[in-house]
Amino acid sequence: MTTESTTVRTWTILAHAIALIGFFVPIAGHIVGPLVIWLAKRDESPEVDMHGKESVNFQISMLIYNVIAGLLCFVLIGIPILIILHFLNIVFVVIAAIQASDGKLFRYPLSLRLIK
């Protein structure tokens, strides 16, 4: 494996894994990290472009789902939905980062394809 491919692989992993910072920096933390990596590195590698778009799309989708679940908290059904969404976010991000380390693109389930 060349240094260039190792660097690309590192950026693809980071494009997914950095979304976990959102659990420490609430509100925009999940989106900002993947967005910054995607915007900064998308022109350097098609792989980073694909992984970055996939990660950003998923995090935007999760934000939309969380807002809807937050509104549903007024009728109490939103609380378990929020818990499930947070669990799924962690699990899918970890799976995506592992897949990226193997050189594969993970297509997040439940992801709206907003950025093409």
Side-chain angles (χ1 to χ4, degrees):
M1 187 178 286
T2 66
T3 304
E4 183 178 326
S5 64
T6 303
T7 303
V8 167
R9 183 83 44 99
T10 301
W11 284 113
T12 60
I13 295 167
L14 200 53
H16 297 286
I18 200 162
L20 296 175
I21 201 166
F23 291 102
F24 303 105
V25 180
I27 302 175
H30 292 289
I31 296 173
V32 172
L35 183 63
V36 167
I37 289 175
W38 176 60
L39 291 174
K41 297 293 183 178
R42 67 181 172 184
D43 295 331
E44 295 178 20
S45 163
E47 291 88 3
V48 175
D49 183 42
M50 290 186 315
H51 284 270
K53 281 192 280 194
E54 190 67 25
S55 183
V56 171
N57 278 329
F58 179 68
Q59 293 306 325
I60 292 171
S61 301
M62 292 303 287
L63 177 63
I64 292 168
Y65 301 147
N66 277 298
V67 168
I68 293 168
L71 294 173
L72 290 174
C73 284
F74 292 113
V75 291
L76 300 179
I77 193 169
I79 295 170
I81 294 172
L82 280 172
I83 292 168
I84 291 167
L85 287 173
H86 284 287
F87 175 76
L88 289 176
N89 196 348
I90 293 170
V91 169
F92 289 150
V93 165
V94 169
I95 290 170
I98 291 169
Q99 291 287 317
S101 73
D102 292 337
K104 301 175 189 167
L105 176 64
F106 177 73
R107 301 293 285 190
Y108 287 94
L110 309 173
S111 184
L112 305 172
R113 308 284 179 230
L114 303 170
I115 300 171
K116 305 266 182 208

